[in-house]
Amino acid sequence: MTAVDYDLEFREDGRVIELISIGMVADDGRELYAISSEFDQPAVRRHPWLREHVWSQLPIVKNWEGVRGVDRLDLDHPDVRPRAQIARLVHDFIVAAGPDVELWANWGAYDHVCLAQLWGPMIALPEGVPMFTHDIQQEARRLGIRWDELPKQEGGEHNALADARHNRTVRRWLATRAQERTA
Ligand SMILES: [Mg+2]
């Protein structure tokens, strides 16, 4: 089995889960980070939590066109890509991990839906992309470990790549706990 640990930053309002950024790390050491050029920037800026924790970590052009306080995403930044391009990169990334790839995320239900919607409706999920994401929280629960006993992230929270790296740390830590119990 090869695992791909991932994390998304997204905007959601109870109806829509819209991709902002995605980070992925594979057991073989590959990493992917991309920011969507297509999310609703005004909606993210208006959202106090997203503005503070997510928007603040994105490549931003400040005072756009000389207007104070008008910030926008830097569309020329190499990490910023159209959704269709991100979909291709993510597909290639997952397929390269091999046919027994497992997707892993933390509290990952929304992440899985938002990821799958890169390709449109559920039925359009491409060959090679797993139809579900393993959840760190479920594995912790299975092992009787409380969420607050898991390894803590040292920094970079809500940067999708930093979060994906931390997810890998936690998943491997849990795998070691599971192994100890069967030893
Ligand atoms: Mg995150």
Side-chain angles (χ1 to χ4, degrees):
M1 183 276 289
T2 305
V4 167
D5 301 278
Y6 74 99
D7 182 64
L8 305 188
E9 300 305 323
F10 51 79
R11 178 184 71 82
E12 73 89 17
D13 58 9
R15 290 177 65 88
V16 169
I17 311 175
E18 186 182 48
L19 177 71
I20 297 173
S21 61
I22 179 168
M24 291 192 137
V25 298
D27 266 335
D28 55 27
R30 290 174 301 123
E31 294 192 337
L32 172 70
Y33 178 64
I35 300 160
S36 170
S37 61
E38 299 178 41
F39 70 83
D40 183 338
Q41 295 183 42
V44 169
R45 287 196 302 264
R46 280 196 304 270
H47 188 297
W49 191 92
L50 286 176
R51 185 178 179 90
E52 182 182 345
H53 296 285
V54 177
W55 176 260
S56 61
Q57 301 197 46
L58 300 176
I60 296 299
V61 178
K62 293 215 174 271
N63 304 327
W64 184 38
E65 297 192 325
V67 184
R68 245 185 106 203
V70 178
D71 300 346
R72 69 158 175 82
L73 189 65
D74 181 0
L75 297 175
D76 296 324
H77 192 280
D79 291 338
V80 179
R81 300 169 183 275
R83 287 174 56 91
Q85 209 180 91
I86 295 174
R88 281 195 298 277
L89 288 171
V90 168
H91 183 224
D92 291 348
F93 189 93
I94 293 171
V95 167
D100 59 350
V101 61
E102 288 184 0
L103 298 177
W104 281 81
N106 192 22
W107 281 298
Y110 281 57
D111 297 79
H112 182 85
V113 171
C114 192
L115 177 82
Q117 286 184 335
L118 276 172
W119 299 281
M122 193 176 184
I123 197 161
L125 195 74
E127 188 76 29
V129 178
M131 292 183 74
F132 71 100
T133 292
H134 295 258
D135 201 308
I136 284 169
Q137 294 301 318
Q138 185 169 12
E139 180 62 0
R141 181 71 63 92
R142 187 179 77 83
L143 297 169
I145 296 167
R146 293 197 320 268
W147 70 269
D148 59 350
E149 296 174 305
L150 297 173
K152 301 284 182 293
Q153 190 161 347
E154 310 230 323
E157 286 99 337
H158 312 304
N159 169 288
L161 183 59
D163 290 354
R165 287 174 180 153
H166 180 66
N167 287 351
R168 178 177 55 197
T169 301
V170 177
R171 174 182 58 77
R172 288 177 171 173
W173 184 87
L174 285 169
T176 305
R177 299 290 86 73
Q179 257 168 20
E180 286 166 359
R181 292 188 186 187
T182 54

